Amino acid sequence: MALPVAFFAVFFAWPVAAIVSRGLKADGVWQFGRIADVVTQPDIRHVLWFTTWQALASTALTLLLALPAAHVFARLDFPGKQLLRAVVTVPFVLPTVVVGTAFLALVGHGGLLDDLWGVRLDTTVWAILLAHVFFNYAVVVRTVGGLWAQLDPRQEQAARMLGASPLTAWRKVTLPALAPAVAAAALMVFLFTFTSFGVVQILGGPTFSTLEVEIYRQTSELFDLSTAAVLTLVQFVAVGAILAVHAWTVRRRESALRLVDPKVTARRPRGAGQWGLLAGVLLTVVLLLVLPLAVLVQRSLDAPGLGYYRALTDADGGTFLVAPLHAVWTSLEYAVAATAIALVIGGLAAAALARRDAGRLVRGFDALLMLPLGVSAVTVGFGFLIALDRPPLDLRQSWILVPLAQALVGAPFVVRTMLPVLRAVDGRLREAAAVLGASPWRVWREVDLPLVRRALLIAAGFAFAVSLGEFGATVFIARPDSPTLPVAVARLLSRPGELNYGQAMALSTILMVVCAAALLLLERLRTDRTGEF
């Protein structure tokens, strides 16, 4: 645990504490009264209200649209199921900047709906809600569907034989068993939407602002660190409460149910109802998930002769110090470095947490590992500039700063992927190897590693995709001559002109293809034991 604890202390706790301290201290004295002054301001109260409201609305809408798909994946077997699973999961690993850009191409000015029917949603909250559903659809499908597939269907069949209608049997038998998984998925969706940045930044404009967007505005535009620090504390407390409830629901889900092999619960669709449900899910996937990405690709091809893509090789547009295409190679290099760091930090943490003799302090660190996913990435990025500005850790001019920030987000995914597999390894195998004279390192190399190799590859894929799309922290610390893909897309969208817009679409398409390729590789490696979130 020494290295993971040191990593999170230096590159997460210290930067966040530094920016909070800078904002709430005046002449060396803490100004705690500033907290009440900020949260009682009418515009800040509106931001807090909108942040909570849109997160609740996004969560409810996501559950409404994704639960039928969870049932389809859990109980029905049909051709192309694995391909459809990959298609459903692609949005989750896409950067939020790409999601916002895709919906801008669909519902924004000059978008598909505007061209066909003169309808624009980019100035309404519906664009944000639909983009959040697009992004979090897979969270519900994989979390709830993974448990649903392992529930014994004979319990519901017994209720039907005793006279219960299909709806009553589902409501009184299946739904109570699924409740912990539904609650866990809902809390994850709420967490992601509560801290939403890229989607709201692109689609919300000046009208809508979440806590994360407001922290960015107060920090980078108004230079009001005091207000940003207060909002960071508010978000930190809210996220901590969400993670505590999430940990409780996960423990309940893991201990309360008797599960069966998911391979025996899926059947070919029978009857008009099941075929209709499958058709409805397919239609939802096409309209909600595939169409925005297809429009994004189509918009990137509007210029004759791949003009927008060819323009990415030209640095004369004035937006960048280098050609926009350079951001592709920069992002790949940063993502590879961030993945290596995340694997080391997350792998060591998972190995420590998987030990049956781990103490309460070690187990408590498990919850802390999730905080970087919920705490403002904007705060972390700006905190890097404040905290890491003097020896022995003066990293402001170092390229490693961006991979370190990205690894903070990737490490929790490594832990969540590897921990269940490491806990499933029979401890007697390690004990037998130790009795035969193997050192701890050799035990890990010859016992644990062969069993967790596939989970390790899956963890690497997730960390790579997440690192590639990190935006909130990177927008502060990426150097002008080395922008990442999400930063380059945001810069292009912030400038007027058809060429800038088309280049943003082209870069977003490239980023989408790279992330989708990483996900398809994960699907090939996925097993029943390591494939769920």
Side-chain angles (χ1 to χ4, degrees):
M1 290 297 296
L3 188 58
V5 169
F7 178 82
F8 278 89
V10 173
F11 298 111
F12 176 68
W14 186 17
V16 172
I19 195 170
V20 171
S21 174
R22 182 72 64 90
L24 292 182
K25 268 188 176 181
D27 298 325
V29 179
W30 287 95
Q31 305 292 324
F32 291 110
R34 180 64 178 156
I35 298 177
D37 294 338
V38 170
V39 297
T40 55
Q41 295 176 12
D43 55 337
I44 297 299
R45 288 206 310 268
H46 177 74
V47 169
L48 294 172
W49 172 84
F50 177 75
T51 301
T52 306
W53 177 86
Q54 63 83 26
L56 289 171
S58 298
T59 302
L61 192 58
T62 303
L63 290 174
L64 179 66
L65 294 176
L67 282 176
H71 171 78
V72 165
F73 280 104
R75 294 302 195 213
L76 302 183
D77 188 21
F78 51 91
K81 184 176 178 179
Q82 294 302 320
L83 177 61
L84 184 64
R85 188 193 299 273
V87 170
V88 165
T89 314
V90 163
F92 180 76
V93 299
L94 287 181
T96 55
V97 171
V98 173
V99 176
T101 307
F103 273 83
L104 196 65
L106 180 63
V107 303
H109 176 67
L112 180 64
L113 295 185
D114 192 14
D115 289 345
L116 293 179
W117 298 296
V119 176
R120 288 181 58 187
L121 297 177
D122 59 325
T123 56
T124 71
V125 73
W126 280 106
I128 296 174
L129 297 182
L130 290 175
H132 283 162
V133 174
F134 170 93
F135 188 75
N136 294 289
Y137 191 87
V139 175
V140 177
V141 171
R142 300 293 287 259
T143 303
V144 179
L147 178 63
W148 205 336
Q150 294 177 276
L151 292 181
D152 193 341
R154 291 174 296 183
Q155 297 175 345
E156 189 171 326
Q157 293 167 3
R160 295 287 307 279
M161 292 181 63
L162 293 173
S165 66
L167 180 60
T168 300
W170 181 83
R171 181 169 55 86
K172 292 191 175 183
V173 178
T174 304
L175 184 58
L178 287 176
V182 173
L187 283 165
M188 290 174 66
V189 174
F190 184 85
L191 174 64
F192 290 139
T193 53
F194 187 83
T195 58
S196 180
F197 177 60
V199 167
V200 181
Q201 178 79 351
I202 292 175
L203 297 176
T207 307
F208 303 107
S209 179
T210 57
L211 263 175
E212 187 85 354
V213 174
E214 187 64 20
I215 292 171
Y216 175 78
R217 189 175 77 90
Q218 294 289 340
T219 303
S220 64
E221 297 178 11
L222 303 180
F223 304 104
D224 187 350
L225 287 185
S226 177
T227 300
V230 171
L231 296 180
T232 296
L233 288 177
V234 171
Q235 189 175 28
F236 189 85
V237 172
V239 168
I242 295 169
L243 290 177
V245 176
H246 178 262
W248 178 79
T249 57
V250 168
R251 286 197 301 269
R252 182 183 170 192
R253 183 182 69 176
E254 290 178 345
S255 61
L257 300 174
R258 181 171 298 175
L259 307 177
V260 299
D261 187 349
K263 295 180 181 179
V264 303
T265 61
R267 296 288 186 270
R268 298 281 292 184
R270 291 178 294 182
Q274 291 187 350
W275 282 108
L277 179 62
L278 177 58
V281 168
L282 290 175
L283 181 62
T284 301
V285 170
V286 170
L287 294 179
L288 182 65
L289 306 185
V290 177
L291 183 60
L293 299 181
V295 173
L296 175 66
V297 175
Q298 184 268 324
R299 285 289 187 265
S300 74
L301 298 173
D302 274 351
L306 300 177
Y308 293 142
Y309 288 92
R310 287 190 288 107
L312 295 178
T313 63
D314 187 5
D316 296 334
T319 305
F320 303 97
L321 298 178
V322 295
L325 194 62
H326 182 72
V328 177
W329 312 117
T330 300
S331 290
L332 291 175
E333 291 170 353
Y334 284 162
V336 170
T339 300
I341 297 171
L343 286 178
V344 173
I345 300 301
L348 289 173
L353 292 167
R355 292 181 61 91
R356 290 175 174 82
D357 57 350
R360 183 175 300 176
L361 185 61
V362 173
R363 292 195 299 269
F365 186 66
D366 188 16
L368 296 179
L369 289 170
M370 296 292 289
L371 281 178
L373 298 181
V375 172
S376 171
V378 172
T379 300
V380 174
F382 197 67
F384 268 35
L385 298 180
I386 293 176
L388 306 178
D389 63 343
R390 59 180 61 90
L393 282 176
D394 186 0
L395 302 177
R396 287 178 301 173
Q397 302 301 320
S398 174
W399 67 272
I400 196 64
L401 203 60
V402 173
L404 287 172
Q406 294 172 343
L408 276 173
V409 183
F413 285 90
V414 174
V415 175
R416 295 269 72 81
T417 303
M418 294 186 61
L419 188 55
V421 182
L422 285 170
R423 283 176 173 167
V425 176
D426 192 341
R428 291 173 296 182
L429 296 176
R430 302 188 185 103
E431 294 168 359
V435 168
L436 294 174
S439 65
W441 166 245
R442 188 176 179 185
V443 170
W444 161 256
R445 189 178 73 249
E446 298 191 11
V447 176
D448 291 77
L449 185 59
L451 296 174
V452 302
R453 183 181 291 114
R454 185 165 294 179
L456 187 66
L457 293 174
I458 291 174
F462 272 120
F464 179 81
V466 170
S467 300
L468 198 64
E470 204 287 322
F471 176 60
T474 308
V475 70
F476 276 97
I477 57 181
R479 294 184 298 182
D481 60 342
S482 301
T484 63
L485 275 171
V487 172
V489 170
R491 288 184 188 173
L492 288 167
L493 286 176
S494 67
R495 291 178 173 265
E498 182 180 348
L499 179 61
N500 286 324
Y501 179 81
Q503 286 180 290
M505 297 295 162
L507 273 182
S508 295
T509 301
I510 293 173
L511 189 51
M512 177 190 69
V513 169
V514 174
C515 290
L519 179 69
L520 290 174
L521 179 62
L522 294 185
E523 282 299 312
R524 292 183 62 88
L525 297 172
R526 191 182 67 86
T527 65
D528 291 333
R529 188 166 55 184
T530 63
E532 303 305 327
F533 290 146

